[in-house]
Amino acid sequence: MARYIFITGGVVSSLGKGLASAALGALLQARGYKVRLRKLDPYLNVDPGTMSPYQHGEVYVTDDGAETDLDLGHYERFTGRSANRQDNVTTGRLYQQIIAKERRGDYLGATVQVIPHVTDAIKQFVLEGNDAYDFVLCEIGGTVGDIEGLPFFEAIRQLGNELPRNNCIYVHLTLLPFIPSAGELKTKPTQHSVKELRSIGIQPDLLLCRTDRPIPENERRKIALFCNVRPSAVIQALDVASIYEVPESYHAEGLDDEVLAAFGLDGVREPDLLGWNDISDRISNPEGEVTIAVVGKYTGLLDAYKSLNEALVHGGIANRVRVNLQWIESEVFEREDPAPFLEGVHGILVPGGFGERGAEGKIKAARFARERHVPYFGICFGMQMAVIEAARSLAGIEGAGSTEFGPVNEPVVGLMTEWMKGNEIEQRNAEGDLGGTMRLGAYRAILGEGTRVSEIYGTTEISERHRHRYEVNTAYRDRLERSGMKFSGLSPDGLLPEIVELSDHPWFIGVQYHPELKSRPFEPHPLFASFITAAVEQSRLV
């Protein structure tokens, strides 16, 4: 039977519950256990798909097409296990399901209430489909005391009583701030956070304390005394240079040992951390460095590009080089010449995005990369802007544009109205709902023989994750290919362009999908590894 670990947070948000959950999952996995990680989000949106990147950060997409929280990216990168739509749930999705049941009359005339109906739905979600796992780690979004999180805390409190003894523990992540004027760490915020948690009936078994310096022993004992835990269960979570050092750091502090001891499994299976040691060594001791310019439209919040950032790090790991990122707001290029910003960089990456803002700046970035022979990687929107640039500059299609921005004379990029998903036709229209209506999840693509991408992948058939509503128009394919832009990857039916590349360029590739979502530290995505290899070669020329 699966054992359950509930990870909660307090004091402030953004302490790193998702990363802590992923690291703990990796440590248990390194001991030979099978783990599953799930995220419970208290907000009322059905999913984050309609939320601004500035509000929520990256929307992480799973193989089965779920738009989920970015923490699922951490889970996948640290454990290698692919997540699915059953690994993330929101209050909005639960209420949507509950109200649908009420409308059908499934509750047989009962008054539908938070307790027991909402809490029962949460518990059902937590417990379903876990027979194959030794440990299920459930992260509760937000912080203790948030009004929208109360049903989730109540549900996991109930589970503590309903699950067999020693089958459920609670890990609480808090902050120990250092006050320079006092010259000491303050434990009171942690004490109050635990007091709030205990007031709703949950006694944490372990405290994971975020801090920028070691916790003195007397402070550790004080926390243990006031929070009703053993001193050994007060784990310091020190800041580290790279997130990939977190599993080793937490193991050194005894986190996984304490977790197993809480389940009565202490002394069983030492973790195999050789792989993590190698990753840390490659990051800490690079044999060179490259600079990549990321020309995006959400650079004010880098969490909007979380998976992209990590995939570039993975490309550096594969090449044993440090990847320095230069984040540039694409709107800047609509006012200024891009040359002063891009001269000297070893690669240019234009990521995904939505809307007209900054689009012309991305087109200028693609033009600079093409004309100056700088390695270029266009992802989703970045591919579309590269195609529009080639249409205008190489194919002579002066009015080339995207219908995403309004009516255009030459719709080189247009709204997809239908496509195949398995054996069924998916259909959309411009007036439909925005949420959950894009081309989402894993789709196959066929790569052309002898193309650069087929050499990079080492195969002619791939599967990648998508999240887009607009597509390059194949009606322009012949004109674009005659001008030098090759359509090197297509959907199996040949109707949807998946990859373009320039044959007379050191490295110029655009992809309609999001390869960053499948990159892992132990398995860097081949496109990112190849892109960084090209950047290394470029660095020798600059």
Side-chain angles (χ1 to χ4, degrees):
M1 182 178 181
R3 296 175 171 87
Y4 292 84
I5 303 171
F6 295 106
I7 298 98
T8 60
V11 184
V12 295
S13 59
S14 300
L15 285 181
K17 289 195 307 297
L19 192 56
S21 303
L24 177 56
L27 287 172
L28 293 171
Q29 195 177 62
R31 289 176 180 264
Y33 294 108
K34 293 181 179 179
V35 300
R36 181 180 194 178
L37 292 102
R38 315 182 92 167
K39 176 75 183 286
L40 314 179
D41 276 310
Y43 52 76
L44 282 171
N45 302 67
V46 173
D47 58 43
T50 59
M51 296 166 71
S52 165
Y54 286 121
Q55 283 278 320
H56 187 267
E58 171 190 67
V59 175
Y60 193 79
V61 179
T62 58
D63 279 334
D64 60 354
E67 294 176 290
T68 70
D69 187 81
L70 63 81
D71 280 331
L72 270 71
H74 287 312
Y75 303 165
E76 287 201 3
R77 286 187 286 272
F78 275 69
T79 68
R81 176 189 173 271
S82 292
N84 58 51
R85 67 176 61 253
Q86 295 307 316
D87 290 324
N88 187 203
V89 74
T90 69
T91 297
R93 182 170 149 200
L94 289 168
Y95 276 33
Q96 186 183 56
Q97 294 170 352
I98 290 167
I99 291 170
K101 286 184 177 181
E102 184 272 333
R103 293 291 82 187
R104 291 196 304 265
D106 291 1
Y107 293 110
L108 302 176
T111 300
V112 181
Q113 297 175 292
V114 173
I115 301 173
H117 301 100
V118 175
T119 51
D120 281 353
I122 295 169
K123 290 188 291 184
Q124 182 181 0
F125 174 84
V126 168
L127 297 175
E128 274 184 345
N130 298 326
D131 293 342
Y133 300 98
D134 300 307
F135 290 97
V136 178
L137 287 73
C138 287
E139 174 194 348
I140 290 80
T143 56
V144 62
D146 294 344
I147 190 169
E148 64 265 28
L150 288 174
F152 291 92
F153 286 105
E154 171 62 19
I156 66 173
R157 182 198 68 78
Q158 292 177 17
L159 283 172
N161 292 326
E162 295 169 6
L163 289 167
R165 190 177 297 275
N166 293 328
N167 265 61
C168 166
I169 68 168
Y170 304 96
V171 177
H172 192 53
L173 180 67
T174 69
L175 175 68
L176 288 185
F178 179 78
I179 308 300
S181 60
E184 61 182 359
L185 289 169
K186 290 297 183 181
T187 66
K188 195 62 70 176
T190 291
Q191 293 178 43
H192 279 292
S193 183
V194 173
K195 181 180 178 181
E196 180 74 24
L197 193 62
R198 294 175 69 188
S199 73
I200 56 179
I202 297 175
Q203 167 63 50
D205 297 279
L206 282 86
L207 296 179
L208 193 55
C209 302
R210 282 299 307 274
T211 173
D212 64 352
R213 63 203 66 213
I215 305 173
E217 277 306 311
N218 61 320
E219 300 301 311
R220 190 188 296 263
R221 287 194 298 271
K222 182 179 178 181
I223 293 169
L225 180 65
F226 280 96
C227 297
N228 195 33
V229 298
R230 299 184 307 276
S232 62
V234 179
I235 308 295
Q236 61 183 12
L238 293 167
D239 295 344
V240 291
S242 164
I243 63 171
Y244 299 112
E245 295 178 21
V246 173
E248 295 171 282
S249 175
Y250 282 3
H251 175 66
E253 298 298 335
L255 174 61
D256 48 327
D257 289 322
E258 282 297 318
V259 165
L260 293 175
F263 284 111
L265 298 172
D266 47 321
V268 180
R269 307 183 191 179
E270 279 300 307
D272 178 5
L273 298 178
L274 289 178
W276 289 106
N277 295 338
D278 180 55
I279 294 296
S280 295
D281 180 63
R282 285 172 174 266
I283 293 174
S284 302
N285 301 293
E287 296 175 354
E289 60 181 58
V290 295
T291 299
I292 303 297
V294 182
V295 183
K297 57 190 297 182
Y298 311 119
T299 57
L301 181 69
L302 296 186
D303 267 358
Y305 299 114
K306 192 62 182 175
S307 292
L308 181 69
N309 183 91
E310 298 310 315
L312 287 164
V313 171
H314 304 161
I317 290 171
N319 288 275
R320 202 166 190 128
V321 297
R322 178 179 291 112
V323 179
N324 301 313
L325 299 181
Q326 183 176 324
W327 298 93
I328 303 172
E329 184 70 29
S330 59
E331 279 186 289
V332 172
F333 292 168
E334 296 178 355
R335 303 186 301 269
E336 302 180 42
D337 180 6
F341 297 86
L342 299 178
E343 285 175 342
V345 304
H346 308 126
I348 298 170
L349 190 150
V350 177
F354 296 93
E356 188 172 8
R357 182 181 66 83
E360 290 297 326
K362 292 187 175 188
I363 289 172
K364 287 185 178 180
R367 179 176 301 163
F368 181 94
R370 179 181 58 79
E371 293 178 344
R372 300 292 188 93
H373 284 76
V374 178
Y376 177 87
F377 195 178
I379 296 176
C380 196
F381 194 79
M383 168 191 165
Q384 294 172 5
M385 296 306 100
V387 172
I388 289 173
E389 193 283 319
R392 293 176 183 176
S393 302
L394 299 179
I397 308 172
E398 294 182 3
S402 171
T403 59
E404 184 176 357
F405 315 144
V408 293
N409 294 329
E410 300 283 0
V412 172
V413 176
L415 177 71
M416 290 186 297
T417 56
E418 64 179 47
W419 62 88
M420 293 298 297
K421 186 170 186 178
N423 295 321
E424 298 181 359
I425 296 177
E426 295 275 327
Q427 293 183 322
R428 301 289 186 270
N429 62 71
E431 288 74 37
D433 290 346
L434 295 180
T437 59
M438 288 184 275
R439 190 176 189 230
L440 293 166
Y443 287 86
R444 291 169 53 236
I446 306 300
L447 311 184
E449 295 278 359
T451 57
R452 182 187 292 273
V453 287
S454 67
E455 293 173 3
I456 291 171
Y457 275 100
T459 183
T460 57
E461 185 172 331
I462 61 172
S463 175
E464 294 282 3
R465 298 179 188 177
H466 295 65
R467 183 176 185 254
H468 61 104
R469 184 172 280 108
Y470 291 82
E471 185 79 55
V472 173
N473 189 342
T474 51
Y476 292 89
R477 177 180 177 180
D478 290 342
R479 295 167 70 182
L480 284 163
E481 290 200 321
R482 285 197 300 269
S483 68
M485 176 161 277
K486 184 176 182 60
F487 285 48
S488 52
L490 298 166
S491 58
D493 57 13
L495 298 178
L496 303 178
E498 294 279 11
I499 308 172
V500 296
E501 60 183 59
L502 289 178
S503 53
D504 61 346
H505 192 282
W507 206 99
F508 193 109
I509 293 173
V511 298
Q512 184 58 72
Y513 47 85
H514 290 270
E516 69 271 22
L517 300 178
K518 295 184 73 171
S519 189
R520 312 281 184 266
F522 297 107
E523 296 180 75
H525 193 284
L527 284 175
F528 282 92
S530 178
F531 177 56
I532 298 303
T533 298
V536 171
E537 294 172 357
Q538 182 74 12
S539 70
R540 295 170 182 151
L541 302 175
V542 174

